[in-house]
Amino acid sequence: MQFIDLKTQYLKLKEEIDTRIHQVLDHGRFIMGPEIGEVEEQLAEYVGCKHCLTVSSGTSSLEIALRALDIGPGDEVITVPFTWISSAEVVLLVGAVPVFVDIDPKTYNIDVSQIEAKITDRTKAILPVSLFGQMPDYSAINEIAQRHQLAVIEDGAQSFGATRDGQRSCGVTPIASTSFFPAKPLGCFGDGGALFTDDDSLATRMKAIRTHGGIQRHHHPYVGTNGRFDTLQAAVLLAKLPSFQWEVEQRGKIGARYSALLSDVCEVPHIEAGNTHVYAQYTIRLNNRDEVAAHLKADGIPSAVYYPKCLHEQPVFEPFGSKLGDFPESEKASREVLSLPMHPFLSEQDQDKVVASVANAVAKGAS
Ligand SMILES: *Cc1c(COP(=O)(O)O)cnc(C)c1O
Protein backbone atom coordinates (compact mmCIF):
# COMPACT_ATOMS: atom_id res chain seq x y z
CA MET A 1 0.00 0.00 0.00
CA GLN A 2 1.20 3.50 -0.74
CA PHE A 3 0.77 6.66 1.28
CA ILE A 4 0.04 8.63 -1.91
CA ASP A 5 -0.41 6.81 -5.24
CA LEU A 6 0.84 9.00 -8.09
CA LYS A 7 1.40 6.05 -10.44
CA THR A 8 -2.28 5.14 -10.75
CA GLN A 9 -3.13 8.75 -11.51
CA TYR A 10 -0.44 8.88 -14.21
CA LEU A 11 -1.67 5.68 -15.84
CA LYS A 12 -5.23 7.00 -15.87
CA LEU A 13 -4.18 10.28 -17.53
CA LYS A 14 -1.19 8.92 -19.48
CA GLU A 15 -2.43 9.75 -22.96
CA GLU A 16 -3.28 13.35 -22.15
CA ILE A 17 -0.12 13.93 -20.08
CA ASP A 18 2.20 12.39 -22.68
CA THR A 19 0.55 14.37 -25.49
CA ARG A 20 0.85 17.63 -23.57
CA ILE A 21 4.51 16.97 -22.70
CA HIS A 22 5.34 16.11 -26.32
CA GLN A 23 3.71 19.32 -27.52
CA VAL A 24 6.21 21.23 -25.36
CA LEU A 25 9.13 19.14 -26.64
CA ASP A 26 7.97 19.94 -30.17
CA HIS A 27 7.56 23.70 -29.80
CA GLY A 28 10.65 23.98 -27.60
CA ARG A 29 9.59 27.07 -25.62
CA PHE A 30 10.66 25.62 -22.29
CA ILE A 31 10.74 28.95 -20.44
CA MET A 32 7.42 30.84 -20.29
CA GLY A 33 5.98 28.88 -23.19
CA PRO A 34 2.30 29.17 -24.17
CA GLU A 35 1.23 26.54 -21.59
CA ILE A 36 2.10 28.99 -18.78
CA GLY A 37 -0.53 31.54 -19.79
CA GLU A 38 -3.01 28.78 -20.58
CA VAL A 39 -2.73 27.13 -17.18
CA GLU A 40 -2.73 30.49 -15.36
CA GLU A 41 -6.02 31.37 -17.02
CA GLN A 42 -7.57 28.03 -16.05
CA LEU A 43 -6.30 28.21 -12.47
CA ALA A 44 -7.59 31.78 -12.00
CA GLU A 45 -10.98 30.72 -13.32
CA TYR A 46 -11.08 27.63 -11.07
CA VAL A 47 -10.28 29.68 -7.97
CA GLY A 48 -12.54 32.58 -8.96
CA CYS A 49 -9.82 35.19 -8.91
CA LYS A 50 -8.63 37.84 -11.39
CA HIS A 51 -4.91 37.03 -11.58
CA CYS A 52 -2.95 33.80 -11.31
CA LEU A 53 0.84 33.74 -11.56
CA THR A 54 2.55 30.40 -11.69
CA VAL A 55 5.92 30.19 -9.93
CA SER A 56 8.77 27.76 -9.33
CA SER A 57 7.50 26.45 -5.96
CA GLY A 58 5.06 27.14 -3.14
CA THR A 59 7.93 28.48 -1.07
CA SER A 60 9.03 30.98 -3.73
CA SER A 61 5.44 32.09 -4.23
CA LEU A 62 5.20 33.04 -0.55
CA GLU A 63 8.54 34.85 -0.71
CA ILE A 64 7.45 36.77 -3.82
CA ALA A 65 4.21 37.77 -2.09
CA LEU A 66 6.10 39.18 0.91
CA ARG A 67 8.54 41.05 -1.36
CA ALA A 68 5.68 42.49 -3.41
CA LEU A 69 4.17 43.82 -0.17
CA ASP A 70 7.54 45.44 0.66
CA ILE A 71 7.89 43.40 3.84
CA GLY A 72 11.45 43.34 5.15
CA PRO A 73 13.71 44.19 8.09
CA GLY A 74 11.84 45.69 11.03
CA ASP A 75 8.52 44.17 9.99
CA GLU A 76 6.55 41.37 11.64
CA VAL A 77 4.42 38.71 10.00
CA ILE A 78 1.91 36.66 11.98
CA THR A 79 1.73 32.93 11.22
CA VAL A 80 1.45 29.57 13.01
CA PRO A 81 4.12 27.33 14.54
CA PHE A 82 2.33 24.13 13.46
CA THR A 83 2.95 23.98 9.70
CA TRP A 84 5.54 23.11 7.09
CA ILE A 85 8.65 25.28 7.56
CA SER A 86 8.06 27.30 4.35
CA SER A 87 5.26 29.37 5.91
CA ALA A 88 7.68 31.05 8.35
CA GLU A 89 10.98 30.43 6.54
CA VAL A 90 9.96 32.97 3.88
CA VAL A 91 9.51 35.61 6.58
CA LEU A 92 13.16 35.08 7.57
CA LEU A 93 14.22 35.10 3.90
CA VAL A 94 12.95 38.68 3.47
CA GLY A 95 14.57 39.74 6.76
CA ALA A 96 11.33 40.14 8.74
CA VAL A 97 10.31 38.55 12.06
CA PRO A 98 7.79 35.69 12.29
CA VAL A 99 5.33 36.10 15.16
CA PHE A 100 3.56 32.87 16.03
CA VAL A 101 -0.06 32.41 17.05
CA ASP A 102 -1.17 29.04 18.48
CA ILE A 103 -3.62 26.78 16.66
CA ASP A 104 -7.20 25.75 17.28
CA PRO A 105 -6.85 22.13 18.52
CA LYS A 106 -9.89 20.97 16.56
CA THR A 107 -8.90 22.14 13.07
CA TYR A 108 -5.11 22.61 13.53
CA ASN A 109 -5.55 26.02 11.88
CA ILE A 110 -4.70 29.42 13.38
CA ASP A 111 -6.73 30.30 16.50
CA VAL A 112 -8.36 33.45 15.15
CA SER A 113 -9.25 34.66 18.66
CA GLN A 114 -5.54 34.96 19.53
CA ILE A 115 -4.44 37.00 16.50
CA GLU A 116 -5.26 40.50 17.69
CA ALA A 117 -3.16 40.22 20.86
CA LYS A 118 -0.08 39.63 18.68
CA ILE A 119 -0.51 42.69 16.46
CA THR A 120 2.02 45.49 17.06
CA ASP A 121 2.87 48.65 15.11
CA ARG A 122 5.48 46.57 13.26
CA THR A 123 2.99 43.95 12.03
CA LYS A 124 2.57 44.04 8.25
CA ALA A 125 0.75 40.84 7.35
CA ILE A 126 -1.10 37.78 8.59
CA LEU A 127 -0.05 34.56 6.87
CA PRO A 128 -2.47 31.80 7.91
CA VAL A 129 -2.15 28.24 6.63
CA SER A 130 -5.11 26.16 5.43
CA LEU A 131 -3.59 23.09 7.05
CA PHE A 132 -4.27 19.50 5.94
CA GLY A 133 -6.87 20.72 3.42
CA GLN A 134 -9.41 22.98 5.11
CA MET A 135 -9.54 26.75 5.45
CA PRO A 136 -9.67 28.79 8.65
CA ASP A 137 -12.25 31.59 9.02
CA TYR A 138 -10.85 34.03 6.47
CA SER A 139 -13.77 36.44 6.76
CA ALA A 140 -12.87 36.96 10.42
CA ILE A 141 -9.15 37.14 9.57
CA ASN A 142 -9.72 39.62 6.73
CA GLU A 143 -11.85 41.74 9.05
CA ILE A 144 -9.08 41.89 11.70
CA ALA A 145 -6.54 42.69 8.97
CA GLN A 146 -8.66 45.49 7.55
CA ARG A 147 -9.08 47.08 10.95
CA HIS A 148 -5.29 47.13 11.42
CA GLN A 149 -4.42 47.77 7.76
CA LEU A 150 -2.55 44.50 7.32
CA ALA A 151 -2.17 42.25 4.32
CA VAL A 152 -3.49 38.67 4.43
CA ILE A 153 -1.72 35.89 2.53
CA GLU A 154 -3.35 32.47 2.52
CA ASP A 155 -0.85 29.61 2.46
CA GLY A 156 -3.09 27.28 0.48
CA ALA A 157 -0.41 24.70 -0.34
CA GLN A 158 -2.53 21.93 1.20
CA SER A 159 -6.01 23.21 0.47
CA PHE A 160 -6.26 23.71 -3.30
CA GLY A 161 -9.81 22.66 -4.21
CA ALA A 162 -11.23 23.19 -0.69
CA THR A 163 -14.09 25.64 -0.11
CA ARG A 164 -15.42 27.77 2.73
CA ASP A 165 -18.99 29.08 2.39
CA GLY A 166 -18.85 28.11 -1.28
CA GLN A 167 -15.67 30.06 -2.06
CA ARG A 168 -12.55 28.25 -3.16
CA SER A 169 -9.24 28.29 -1.32
CA CYS A 170 -6.82 30.88 -2.80
CA GLY A 171 -9.74 33.13 -3.77
CA VAL A 172 -10.70 34.71 -0.45
CA THR A 173 -7.69 36.74 0.74
CA PRO A 174 -5.88 39.72 -0.88
CA ILE A 175 -3.04 37.36 -1.86
CA ALA A 176 -2.96 33.56 -1.81
CA SER A 177 -0.33 30.98 -2.55
CA THR A 178 -0.39 27.30 -3.40
CA SER A 179 2.08 24.54 -4.25
CA PHE A 180 2.12 21.96 -7.05
CA PHE A 181 4.69 19.70 -5.32
CA PRO A 182 3.74 16.20 -6.54
CA ALA A 183 2.13 15.09 -3.26
CA LYS A 184 -0.15 18.13 -2.91
CA PRO A 185 -3.82 17.88 -3.92
CA LEU A 186 -2.97 19.34 -7.36
CA GLY A 187 0.57 18.19 -8.05
CA CYS A 188 2.83 18.43 -11.08
CA PHE A 189 5.88 16.23 -11.77
CA GLY A 190 8.41 18.43 -10.04
CA ASP A 191 8.36 21.69 -8.12
CA GLY A 192 5.84 24.41 -8.77
CA GLY A 193 3.42 26.84 -7.20
CA ALA A 194 1.11 29.75 -7.88
CA LEU A 195 0.02 33.14 -6.56
CA PHE A 196 -3.50 34.51 -6.75
CA THR A 197 -4.79 38.07 -6.37
CA ASP A 198 -7.54 40.38 -7.60
CA ASP A 199 -5.25 43.41 -7.20
CA ASP A 200 -3.82 44.62 -10.54
CA SER A 201 -0.85 46.48 -9.11
CA LEU A 202 0.18 43.63 -6.80
CA ALA A 203 -0.11 41.23 -9.73
CA THR A 204 2.16 43.44 -11.86
CA ARG A 205 4.67 43.69 -9.05
CA MET A 206 4.68 39.95 -8.30
CA LYS A 207 5.09 39.24 -12.01
CA ALA A 208 8.11 41.53 -12.13
CA ILE A 209 9.69 39.95 -9.03
CA ARG A 210 9.16 36.48 -10.54
CA THR A 211 11.49 37.49 -13.39
CA HIS A 212 14.38 39.41 -11.80
CA GLY A 213 12.34 42.46 -10.82
CA GLY A 214 11.84 43.61 -14.39
CA ILE A 215 8.72 44.76 -16.19
CA GLN A 216 10.50 45.38 -19.48
CA ARG A 217 13.57 43.42 -20.49
CA HIS A 218 16.84 44.88 -19.13
CA HIS A 219 15.06 47.26 -16.76
CA HIS A 220 14.92 46.12 -13.09
CA PRO A 221 13.04 48.43 -10.71
CA TYR A 222 12.58 45.76 -7.97
CA VAL A 223 14.77 43.19 -6.28
CA GLY A 224 13.55 40.06 -7.98
CA THR A 225 14.48 36.44 -8.41
CA ASN A 226 14.15 33.62 -10.89
CA GLY A 227 10.80 32.27 -9.77
CA ARG A 228 9.33 31.01 -13.04
CA PHE A 229 7.29 27.82 -13.39
CA ASP A 230 8.51 25.30 -16.01
CA THR A 231 6.52 25.03 -19.23
CA LEU A 232 6.74 21.22 -19.02
CA GLN A 233 5.16 21.32 -15.56
CA ALA A 234 2.42 23.63 -16.83
CA ALA A 235 1.71 21.01 -19.50
CA VAL A 236 1.35 18.34 -16.80
CA LEU A 237 -1.12 20.52 -14.87
CA LEU A 238 -3.14 21.21 -18.02
CA ALA A 239 -3.51 17.47 -18.49
CA LYS A 240 -4.53 16.96 -14.87
CA LEU A 241 -6.93 19.87 -14.46
CA PRO A 242 -9.95 18.37 -16.27
CA SER A 243 -10.17 15.56 -13.69
CA PHE A 244 -9.08 17.60 -10.67
CA GLN A 245 -12.60 18.33 -9.44
CA TRP A 246 -13.43 14.61 -9.65
CA GLU A 247 -10.32 13.95 -7.54
CA VAL A 248 -11.38 16.58 -5.00
CA GLU A 249 -14.75 14.84 -4.69
CA GLN A 250 -13.08 11.42 -4.32
CA ARG A 251 -10.87 12.82 -1.58
CA GLY A 252 -13.94 14.14 0.22
CA LYS A 253 -15.72 10.78 -0.03
CA ILE A 254 -12.69 8.76 1.07
CA GLY A 255 -12.09 11.12 3.99
CA ALA A 256 -15.73 10.88 5.05
CA ARG A 257 -15.56 7.07 4.88
CA TYR A 258 -12.42 7.01 7.06
CA SER A 259 -14.15 9.25 9.58
CA ALA A 260 -17.29 7.10 9.67
CA LEU A 261 -15.19 3.99 10.31
CA LEU A 262 -12.73 5.54 12.78
CA SER A 263 -14.82 7.98 14.81
CA ASP A 264 -15.30 5.47 17.65
CA VAL A 265 -11.63 4.51 17.60
CA CYS A 266 -9.74 7.79 17.69
CA GLU A 267 -10.15 11.52 17.12
CA VAL A 268 -10.93 12.09 13.42
CA PRO A 269 -10.65 15.36 11.47
CA HIS A 270 -13.16 18.00 12.53
CA ILE A 271 -14.67 19.87 9.59
CA GLU A 272 -15.80 23.37 10.47
CA ALA A 273 -19.31 24.43 9.44
CA GLY A 274 -19.36 25.76 5.88
CA ASN A 275 -16.11 24.00 4.94
CA THR A 276 -15.23 21.27 2.49
CA HIS A 277 -11.98 19.40 3.17
CA VAL A 278 -9.59 18.10 0.49
CA TYR A 279 -7.57 15.97 2.92
CA ALA A 280 -4.11 16.79 1.62
CA GLN A 281 -3.52 14.77 4.78
CA TYR A 282 -6.09 12.59 6.51
CA THR A 283 -4.92 13.20 10.07
CA ILE A 284 -6.10 11.44 13.21
CA ARG A 285 -5.12 12.15 16.79
CA LEU A 286 -3.97 9.62 19.40
CA ASN A 287 -2.25 9.90 22.76
CA ASN A 288 -0.03 6.91 21.90
CA ARG A 289 0.67 7.99 18.33
CA ASP A 290 4.14 6.44 18.04
CA GLU A 291 2.92 2.99 19.15
CA VAL A 292 0.05 3.11 16.67
CA ALA A 293 2.41 4.17 13.87
CA ALA A 294 4.72 1.25 14.72
CA HIS A 295 1.75 -1.14 14.69
CA LEU A 296 0.69 0.16 11.25
CA LYS A 297 4.23 -0.24 9.96
CA ALA A 298 4.33 -3.87 11.14
CA ASP A 299 1.09 -4.40 9.18
CA GLY A 300 2.75 -2.94 6.06
CA ILE A 301 0.77 0.31 6.20
CA PRO A 302 2.60 3.60 5.67
CA SER A 303 1.77 6.60 7.84
CA ALA A 304 3.42 9.95 8.45
CA VAL A 305 3.68 12.61 11.13
CA TYR A 306 3.00 16.18 10.00
CA TYR A 307 4.63 17.76 11.99
CA PRO A 308 6.73 16.08 14.70
CA LYS A 309 8.28 19.39 15.80
CA CYS A 310 6.78 22.89 15.94
CA LEU A 311 8.58 25.71 14.18
CA HIS A 312 9.39 27.55 17.43
CA GLU A 313 11.33 24.41 18.44
CA GLN A 314 13.47 24.58 15.29
CA PRO A 315 16.96 26.08 15.65
CA VAL A 316 16.43 28.72 12.92
CA PHE A 317 13.60 30.31 14.90
CA GLU A 318 15.43 30.25 18.27
CA PRO A 319 16.62 33.88 17.99
CA PHE A 320 13.00 35.06 18.16
CA GLY A 321 12.61 34.11 21.78
CA SER A 322 9.80 31.56 21.84
CA LYS A 323 10.26 28.68 24.23
CA LEU A 324 8.71 25.30 24.84
CA GLY A 325 5.30 25.79 26.43
CA ASP A 326 4.51 29.01 24.56
CA PHE A 327 2.19 27.31 22.06
CA PRO A 328 0.62 24.42 24.00
CA GLU A 329 -1.94 23.35 21.38
CA SER A 330 0.66 23.24 18.61
CA GLU A 331 3.04 21.28 20.83
CA LYS A 332 0.30 18.84 21.85
CA ALA A 333 -0.73 18.33 18.22
CA SER A 334 2.87 17.63 17.21
CA ARG A 335 2.90 14.75 19.75
CA GLU A 336 -0.49 13.31 18.83
CA VAL A 337 -1.14 13.62 15.08
CA LEU A 338 -0.81 10.78 12.60
CA SER A 339 -1.63 10.98 8.89
CA LEU A 340 -2.97 7.89 7.12
CA PRO A 341 -2.71 6.83 3.45
CA MET A 342 -4.82 9.23 1.40
CA HIS A 343 -5.25 9.76 -2.33
CA PRO A 344 -8.17 9.77 -4.80
CA PHE A 345 -7.51 6.15 -5.85
CA LEU A 346 -7.46 4.55 -2.39
CA SER A 347 -9.61 1.41 -2.61
CA GLU A 348 -12.19 0.51 0.04
CA GLN A 349 -10.29 -2.73 0.59
CA ASP A 350 -7.05 -0.90 1.40
CA GLN A 351 -8.93 1.60 3.49
CA ASP A 352 -10.50 -1.23 5.50
CA LYS A 353 -7.01 -2.63 6.17
CA VAL A 354 -5.84 0.75 7.48
CA VAL A 355 -8.92 1.08 9.68
CA ALA A 356 -8.54 -2.46 11.07
CA SER A 357 -4.89 -1.89 11.86
CA VAL A 358 -5.56 1.41 13.66
CA ALA A 359 -8.43 -0.20 15.59
CA ASN A 360 -6.26 -3.17 16.61
CA ALA A 361 -3.44 -0.92 17.71
CA VAL A 362 -5.79 1.18 19.82
CA ALA A 363 -7.49 -1.87 21.35
CA LYS A 364 -4.10 -3.43 22.14
CA GLY A 365 -3.32 -0.89 24.67
CA ALA A 366 -2.71 1.77 22.93
CA SER A 367 -5.00 4.76 23.50
C1 LIG B 1 4.25 22.19 0.70
C2 LIG B 1 4.01 23.40 1.49
C3 LIG B 1 4.63 24.62 1.20
C4 LIG B 1 5.72 24.78 0.20
O1 LIG B 1 5.53 24.32 -1.06
P1 LIG B 1 6.76 23.90 -1.99
O2 LIG B 1 6.16 23.86 -3.35
O3 LIG B 1 7.24 22.57 -1.51
O4 LIG B 1 7.81 24.95 -1.87
C5 LIG B 1 4.27 25.74 1.94
N1 LIG B 1 3.37 25.66 2.92
C6 LIG B 1 2.77 24.51 3.26
C7 LIG B 1 1.76 24.51 4.36
C8 LIG B 1 3.08 23.34 2.57
O5 LIG B 1 2.47 22.19 2.92
Side-chain angles (χ1 to χ4, degrees), residues 81-85 289 305-315 318 324 330-331 333-335 337:
F82 188 65
T83 176
W84 174 236
I85 190 155
R289 186 261 319 278
V305 174
Y306 301 109
Y307 297 90
K309 224 176 181 192
C310 296
L311 297 187
H312 65 287
E313 300 172 60
Q314 295 288 354
E318 256 166 35
L324 216 59
S330 296
E331 291 166 23
S334 72
R335 291 189 300 267
V337 291

Side-chain angles (χ1 to χ4, degrees), residues 236-257:
V236 172
L237 287 191
L238 283 165
K240 286 191 178 191
L241 269 172
S243 49
F244 179 63
Q245 196 51 32
W246 174 85
E247 290 194 1
V248 165
E249 280 155 27
Q250 283 303 107
R251 287 176 169 280
K253 283 183 199 160
I254 291 166
R257 187 168 185 271

Side-chain angles (χ1 to χ4, degrees), residues 101-102 104 109-116 136-137 140-141 144:
V101 167
D102 207 357
D104 165 3
N109 280 329
I110 194 163
D111 181 347
V112 178
S113 71
Q114 294 190 41
I115 293 176
E116 235 165 340
D137 185 355
I141 295 168
I144 294 169

Side-chain angles (χ1 to χ4, degrees), residues 55-71 86-87 89-95 127 153 177 195 206 209 223-227:
V55 286
S56 55
S57 71
T59 307
S60 67
S61 68
L62 290 170
E63 186 191 348
I64 290 170
L66 294 176
R67 288 195 185 282
L69 291 164
D70 252 330
I71 292 172
S86 301
S87 320
E89 174 184 52
V90 292
V91 178
L92 299 186
L93 273 176
V94 301
L127 200 166
I153 307 165
S177 154
L195 284 158
M206 293 195 295
I209 294 167
V223 178
T225 183
N226 177 355

Side-chain angles (χ1 to χ4, degrees), residues 4 131-134 158-160 162 183 185 248 250-259 268-271 276-283 340-343:
I4 293 174
L131 202 75
F132 298 149
Q134 80 170 320
Q158 301 185 8
S159 57
F160 204 69
V248 165
Q250 283 303 107
R251 287 176 169 280
K253 283 183 199 160
I254 291 166
R257 187 168 185 271
Y258 259 141
S259 293
V268 298
H270 169 81
I271 306 182
T276 60
H277 201 310
V278 290
Y279 301 106
Q281 308 300 340
Y282 183 88
T283 304
L340 302 178
M342 181 59 170
H343 56 84

